[in-house]
Amino acid sequence: MLFFSYFKDLVGQEVTVELKNDLAIRGTLHSVDQYLNIKLENTRVVDQDKFPHMLSVRNCFIRGSVVRYVQLPPDGVDVDLLHDAARREARGG
Amino acid sequence: MAVGLREFARRTGNGSGTPPVLDESNGEELMHVQPSVAVALGNRSLESPGTLYITSRKLIWLSDVDMAKGYAVDFLSISLHAVSRDPEAYSSPCLYTQIEVEEDEDEEHESDTESTGALDLSKIREMRLVPSDSAQLDTLFDMFCECAELNPEPVEEEEESEHNWVFSADQMVVGGGAEEDGEWPISQSPTSVIGLSVGDEGLAQPMLELHINDQRFDDAEEMVHESETKDH
């Protein structure tokens, strides 16, 4: 549940979600659930060539299982803290 | 469960407006019915009139005029959905969805569906649902969110009882049949790996178990509030 908690803290910030099909969508993180399904607001497609029809979409829901990366604001991450927390979660569960 | 879009025409009756057959033995329930919905697969033109059925497992679109025509896709396969209202992107306000397709060899994009030959539904990557009442779009969006949450990835249990977590570079099992070298710094100096000899995985297992199960080795000096995350 570590990343669920982590993403909950990021709600309201700008993120870019890259899907496994290479589509990248930038938007404001509206909400996230335990499966890391993501709802974004004010979305715009980063790479407009592959899925041009998506340009106008304002809000979207992205299935957690198709997310490859979530790119975070640079000051939104304490890497060491996250690293340690992740390691602890994997150990203790 | 099938990946991707497929044909579906199993109805409970013969007339127009009869609902689809569901897999009730597996707990599938009908959640929402939206009449007067047109569907556009990929780049193809809108097909209508039809009725959209949203079940706890999948969405089904059945034609109101052609009893043999219908499409279904599991929510497991719907990667993304959104309300699209920009007329420049599409002529009508619609619910835009992306469908995960089985990746075969390197295929073309959905420009294939323009051809007059047999349409391969399983290659459809985008689907738009256009309700005649566009005020229903937000309701449909919310329903799709709900159904996506009802269909999380199936968890494969018991693959290995140990998940082979690696907690530090010291535990990397060197050798073990892998051919790659130079990628991991560890492999270049196996003598620095404490307790493990090259290819000797037998020693690794007890070490991992000790790490996982023995609470005496947990960091005792951590702050109280950190441990809350374990319970969620």
Side-chain angles (χ1 to χ4, degrees):
Chain A
M1 283 296 149
L2 168 66
F3 285 100
F4 176 35
S5 304
Y6 174 71
F7 282 122
K8 278 200 294 188
D9 288 342
L10 277 185
V11 163
Q13 302 217 37
E14 279 276 294
V15 296
T16 298
V17 179
E18 183 178 320
L19 277 55
K20 291 176 185 171
N21 65 5
D22 298 339
L23 175 68
I25 304 173
R26 185 160 185 77
T28 309
L29 184 63
H30 170 272
S31 56
V32 64
D33 71 7
Q34 53 175 322
Y35 307 113
L36 303 188
N37 292 323
I38 292 170
K39 279 194 202 174
L40 292 179
E41 284 180 330
N42 302 317
T43 61
R44 49 234 180 260
V45 175
V46 173
D47 171 12
Q48 294 170 4
D49 297 331
K50 184 142 177 153
F51 290 98
H53 307 124
M54 268 211 65
L55 283 182
S56 69
V57 162
R58 204 97 67 73
N59 309 324
C60 71
F61 174 101
I62 302 171
R63 197 181 161 79
S65 59
V66 304
V67 173
R68 178 188 289 152
Y69 299 125
V70 178
Q71 294 168 17
L72 310 165
D75 51 1
V77 185
D78 183 328
V79 175
D80 291 331
L81 206 63
L82 194 57
H83 189 184
D84 290 343
R87 192 182 273 187
R88 258 202 313 283
E89 164 128 333
R91 267 196 195 123
Chain B
M1 298 204 183
V3 174
L5 189 70
R6 58 191 184 276
E7 280 189 11
F8 187 99
R10 293 195 299 275
R11 308 180 191 226
T12 57
N14 289 328
S16 159
T18 51
V21 173
L22 301 186
D23 189 5
E24 273 148 15
S25 58
N26 262 340
E28 184 177 14
E29 298 172 16
L30 188 61
M31 310 228 348
H32 185 80
V33 181
Q34 189 72 39
S36 282
V37 175
V39 65
L41 305 180
N43 294 328
R44 294 164 60 85
S45 49
L46 272 176
E47 298 176 59
S48 71
T51 302
L52 182 68
Y53 298 89
I54 300 179
T55 84
S56 52
R57 295 264 183 274
K58 55 181 183 281
L59 78 88
I60 303 169
W61 180 88
L62 296 180
S63 168
D64 290 340
V65 294
D66 182 348
M67 294 299 110
K69 174 146 64 146
Y71 308 114
V73 58
D74 292 340
F75 279 105
L76 275 177
S77 294
I78 298 183
S79 314
L80 175 163
H81 65 271
V83 172
S84 170
R85 288 202 165 93
D86 185 349
E88 280 184 30
Y90 198 72
S91 50
S92 319
C94 62
L95 191 70
Y96 170 88
T97 69
Q98 275 189 17
I99 299 172
E100 195 175 335
V101 299
E102 202 112 34
E103 294 293 339
D104 293 331
E105 329 87 58
D106 220 7
E107 298 275 350
E108 291 292 316
H109 291 237
E110 61 262 27
S111 51
D112 290 354
T113 65
E114 298 282 10
S115 66
T116 53
L119 168 64
D120 187 356
L121 292 180
S122 65
K123 297 279 187 294
I124 296 286
R125 294 175 175 216
E126 295 175 306
M127 178 178 68
R128 286 172 184 79
L129 298 164
V130 185
S132 57
D133 178 6
S134 63
Q136 291 296 312
L137 280 175
D138 290 325
T139 305
L140 287 179
F141 177 85
D142 290 339
M143 278 257 94
F144 273 51
C145 291
E146 209 178 308
C147 293
E149 289 155 25
L150 287 176
N151 288 275
E153 290 299 296
V155 180
E156 62 266 348
E157 304 285 343
E158 112 284 79
E159 255 189 348
E160 316 117 43
S161 46
E162 295 298 332
H163 279 268
N164 292 340
W165 289 110
V166 176
F167 303 116
S168 72
D170 295 342
Q171 283 173 254
M172 292 292 288
V173 177
V174 182
E179 275 80 29
E180 71 264 323
D181 57 359
E183 261 203 318
W184 295 101
I186 282 289
S187 66
Q188 289 165 2
S189 51
T191 52
S192 73
V193 177
I194 301 170
L196 297 177
S197 43
V198 176
D200 189 346
E201 287 163 330
L203 282 180
Q205 282 302 322
M207 285 187 69
L208 288 174
E209 283 177 13
L210 187 65
H211 253 284
I212 293 172
N213 296 334
D214 197 324
Q215 292 167 355
R216 290 176 298 169
F217 288 82
D218 271 0
D219 295 332
E221 61 272 15
E222 293 302 330
M223 314 267 244
V224 173
H225 74 276
E226 288 292 348
S227 65
E228 288 173 2
T229 59
K230 279 189 184 178
D231 295 332
H232 286 272

